Amino acid sequence: MNILFPGRHHLLTDFQFKYLYRIVQNGLLEEPDVNGKPLGISQPVTRIVFATTSANHANTRRNPVPFYLRAMALLDFQQELEVPGFVFPIDDVGYLKDFASYTLKKIRHESEGMVDLTPQNTVVACSSPVLKMYEDLGFRILPVELADRKTEELSTHSPWDLVEMIAQTEGDWLRNREVFDHVHQASYLIWSRYRLGPKVQRLFSDNMLGADGDLTESRDYNSYVRQMDEIAELKFKETRPFIRPGRIGDIGCAVGTWLAYVSHDERFRESDLIGIEIAFRLYRICLQRKENGAFGNPNIFFAQKNAVAGLCFEPMSMHTIHTSSLTHEIESYGGHADLLAFIQNRYAELAPGGVWINRDVLGPDRPDEEIWLRLEEGDGRNYDWETPVQEGEALESYLNGLSTHARFLRFARDFRREEGYDFQFEWKEYESQQYAVLSLRDAMEFISKKDYTGNWQSEMHEMFCFWNYEDWMVALKEAGFHIAAGSSKYTNQWLVDNRYRGKADLFLMEEGKLKPREYPVTHMLMVAEKRL
């Protein structure tokens, strides 16, 4: 008889070991199932199968420990159970109502048919709601920590209770007596040897990221990656003159396209290239692209890290750090203190003479300037702008059908609403034409985002115009940086000619007359140097 023990297995407990050991020694005949009834199974336990779920996830709050470390602990854990133990990785596939069936198929596939688990030859040990999925397939359930399935009351700490206890421990988790009393030595050794405690404490204290390590859950990554890749060559050509050979890091590297251009440049043939990405899905694509041979330099490495929570690289180790379209996200999803910490971390990581190349959107020089904004009404519908629409392609199609005028109204309602942003404007008439009167900052927030309909929900959280060029220079100098030659602010003329002009035109009221106003700067290339 098999025992299937599914779970993420980030941490193993003494209770779990003693529970399984007792069953192996005493058998399943009198052992109660999840409903309190004796199982009545006379066959001895001959094998324990550890199905390790979310095996393809790591370095997030929900899944902090990589699979290989979980597998190492499980192999040590099962050695004294006196029956063979098998560990199989089960990938995270999102919500799947028949996840139990998927797990069984995955085990059969990974074992090449050697382990074929059925209700006739297997009992499932599970204390989480997942047990119902196996029960529906006809499996008998061992409750493990579950004392009462109706109330979901546990008889002892669950493994995840202990993970959270470690995360909440101030200082050295190894000195937490309650953790020490409950964690099995197999996990204790792995967690202490690989310093997992501080890592988990850092992940749980990070308010910027979601449980799965993403800044936002509303981003369409297919659309996002396509947009980033379309301008990757432009970004490389713009930044290439400032890249210094040696150790080159790209923070927020998406799928590694900028690094791919660097890797094929003869000038950087002997450099070490390091990509840092928060989003798990993008990080996995980076690894896949490396495996597929997409990079010209073999010395390329990727890591899933949060560049705000701490250093990404060793202090004074980097010759070039590159970021693109990232710093505005830190301000938007974290806050001002997080952005300042990010800047200081980059300074700490650079070797003397190293540079941080930061390419991003930029606010106007005079953000509070009063602007009269004329919005096109003839390029779509001027009604139903408040209609609730589901996300994804339906929302994109709906927004694309609105006129610029109607999309402005939708934007004024949606922009940073969850954050409590006060988007103020008023309608005024001039020579029988209606204008929205508002600050230049807010006008440019709308104009710069109005065409991002494919990622509308995500973009509604993001601020582009929080700092102007002078603000950036002040913050960088306060952190110790020198602003290197070649740094610049500019207006993206392609956007002006193809997206802005004729759709959302800017005017100033001077001496009782409206006069056209040129579009302000929209982007910057900031080269911040750590002087010798």
Side-chain angles (χ1 to χ4, degrees):
M1 182 63 62
N2 302 299
I3 292 180
L4 171 62
F5 197 4
R8 288 178 288 158
H9 300 313
H10 290 288
L11 188 146
L12 303 163
T13 68
D14 278 336
F15 176 87
Q16 289 175 328
F17 178 82
K18 291 175 182 177
Y19 183 86
L20 293 172
Y21 186 82
R22 186 189 73 242
I23 290 173
V24 170
Q25 297 300 317
N26 297 341
L28 295 163
L29 190 64
E30 299 297 328
E31 188 67 32
D33 67 11
V34 72
N35 298 309
K37 298 178 181 179
L39 285 167
I41 296 173
S42 58
Q43 299 102 308
V45 175
T46 57
R47 179 165 57 191
I48 299 178
V49 178
F50 299 95
T52 309
T53 57
S54 294
N56 58 333
H57 282 197
N59 303 314
T60 68
R61 274 203 305 277
R62 194 166 71 89
N63 292 296
V65 183
F67 170 70
Y68 79 95
L69 293 180
R70 290 183 259 169
M72 288 168 61
L74 283 165
L75 288 172
D76 187 17
F77 177 82
Q78 59 85 35
Q79 282 184 0
E80 296 181 25
L81 290 175
E82 299 183 9
V83 293
F86 294 80
V87 180
F88 293 103
I90 311 298
D91 290 349
D92 189 305
V93 292
Y95 175 73
L96 197 64
K97 65 179 180 180
D98 58 346
F99 184 69
S101 295
Y102 171 80
T103 300
L104 298 170
K105 292 175 185 177
K106 178 75 169 174
I107 292 170
R108 187 165 61 247
H109 172 75
E110 290 289 335
S111 68
E112 297 184 348
M114 179 183 69
V115 181
D116 188 7
L117 306 178
T118 69
Q120 289 72 44
N121 66 17
T122 302
V123 176
V124 176
C126 184
S127 62
S128 77
V130 174
L131 66 86
K132 184 67 169 57
M133 295 184 182
Y134 289 98
E135 204 171 39
D136 290 343
L137 295 175
F139 287 89
R140 300 289 296 275
I141 310 297
L142 288 164
V144 199
E145 300 95 353
L146 188 61
D148 188 328
R149 71 177 302 178
K150 290 182 179 178
T151 64
E152 299 185 353
E153 180 183 353
L154 302 180
S155 60
T156 185
H157 291 304
S158 72
W160 194 250
D161 288 340
L162 295 171
V163 171
E164 291 183 329
M165 201 177 296
I166 291 171
Q168 294 162 10
T169 299
E170 294 184 6
D172 187 359
W173 71 275
L174 295 170
R175 297 181 180 276
N176 187 318
R177 178 66 180 271
E178 192 161 5
V179 171
F180 183 84
D181 287 345
H182 288 84
V183 174
H184 188 269
Q185 66 175 2
S187 284
Y188 189 88
L189 288 173
I190 290 294
W191 276 63
S192 57
R193 184 172 297 164
Y194 289 88
R195 301 178 64 186
L196 296 178
K199 175 181 180 178
V200 167
Q201 290 170 341
R202 187 168 62 250
L203 287 170
F204 274 69
S205 65
D206 183 358
N207 295 321
M208 277 187 63
L209 301 184
D212 285 321
D214 288 337
L215 279 171
T216 172
E217 297 178 359
S218 57
R219 175 170 287 161
D220 178 349
Y221 280 99
N222 291 326
S223 172
Y224 177 77
V225 169
R226 186 168 59 250
Q227 292 169 1
M228 293 298 102
D229 273 4
E230 285 173 355
I231 60 172
E233 185 176 7
L234 169 65
K235 291 192 292 186
F236 174 68
K237 288 180 178 178
E238 189 177 58
T239 56
R240 184 187 182 279
F242 310 103
I243 302 172
R244 302 189 180 177
R247 285 173 57 85
I248 302 171
D250 187 13
I251 300 176
C253 67
V255 295
T257 308
W258 184 85
L259 282 172
Y261 282 106
V262 176
S263 74
H264 289 286
D265 192 308
E266 184 64 21
R267 182 180 164 215
F268 311 113
R269 180 172 57 86
E270 296 185 1
S271 294
D272 289 340
L273 311 181
I274 307 166
I276 304 295
E277 179 52 53
I278 286 179
F280 172 76
R281 282 169 281 186
L282 302 182
Y283 166 68
R284 294 290 295 181
I285 294 173
C286 289
L287 298 181
Q288 183 179 354
R289 292 185 72 182
K290 179 179 179 179
E291 187 174 333
N292 293 343
F295 302 98
N297 184 336
N299 296 313
I300 186 165
F301 310 95
F302 294 97
Q304 186 189 14
K305 291 183 180 180
N306 179 4
V308 177
L311 300 182
C312 292
F313 314 109
E314 294 177 3
M316 301 182 68
S317 67
M318 303 301 294
H319 301 95
T320 300
I321 297 173
H322 170 259
T323 56
S324 182
S325 303
L326 174 64
T327 47
H328 77 271
E329 292 192 341
I330 295 170
E331 175 77 20
S332 301
Y333 293 106
H336 193 61
D338 289 320
L339 180 58
L340 293 177
F342 180 87
I343 293 170
Q344 200 64 61
N345 286 340
R346 305 299 71 82
Y347 185 83
E349 291 165 346
L350 286 173
V355 293
W356 170 28
I357 306 169
N358 183 25
R359 186 182 184 277
D360 208 346
V361 290
L362 187 66
D365 291 334
R366 298 191 298 276
D368 297 322
E369 184 177 59
E370 184 178 87
I371 289 295
W372 289 54
L373 179 63
R374 184 171 65 193
L375 299 156
E376 176 60 40
E377 298 182 14
D379 55 351
R381 301 187 316 274
N382 287 294
Y383 58 90
D384 81 344
W385 59 270
E386 288 187 289
T387 302
V389 179
Q390 297 297 318
E391 61 185 59
E393 292 182 4
L395 176 59
E396 182 178 7
S397 176
Y398 161 77
L399 291 168
N400 285 339
L402 295 176
S403 69
T404 303
H405 181 275
R407 205 178 296 175
F408 172 81
L409 293 171
R410 181 79 179 208
F411 179 91
R413 190 199 72 171
D414 291 353
F415 181 60
R416 293 184 66 81
R417 181 170 57 176
E418 292 181 15
E419 291 83 0
Y421 189 84
D422 185 15
F423 189 91
Q424 295 185 354
F425 73 97
E426 60 177 319
W427 294 112
K428 289 186 179 181
E429 244 184 51
Y430 178 80
E431 294 184 351
S432 302
Q433 173 75 48
Q434 192 177 47
Y435 296 82
V437 180
L438 69 172
S439 71
L440 180 58
R441 177 195 291 108
D442 284 349
M444 291 310 298
E445 289 286 6
F446 166 69
I447 292 172
S448 61
K449 298 183 182 70
K450 67 182 182 65
D451 297 298
Y452 291 158
T453 55
N455 261 315
W456 185 265
Q457 289 182 313
S458 175
E459 295 295 338
M460 290 306 98
H461 294 286
E462 298 189 13
M463 294 187 296
F464 286 6
C465 304
F466 60 94
W467 268 356
N468 60 27
Y469 195 74
E470 181 65 30
D471 294 328
W472 268 104
M473 289 198 297
V474 169
L476 290 169
K477 289 176 181 177
E478 287 180 350
F481 283 107
H482 171 79
I483 310 303
S487 299
S488 64
K489 57 180 177 178
Y490 58 93
T491 304
N492 187 313
Q493 198 57 43
W494 186 92
L495 290 175
V496 169
D497 295 339
N498 294 277
R499 299 282 179 83
Y500 300 172
R501 187 171 286 125
K503 298 289 187 178
D505 297 316
L506 303 178
F507 295 86
L508 292 175
M509 179 65 73
E510 295 180 352
E511 299 178 354
K513 293 183 179 181
L514 279 187
K515 296 182 180 180
R517 193 221 192 271
E518 286 299 316
Y519 292 94
V521 294
T522 57
H523 291 78
M524 70 171 181
L525 177 65
M526 188 69 77
V527 183
E529 183 180 23
K530 185 173 183 177
R531 283 285 174 92
L532 296 172

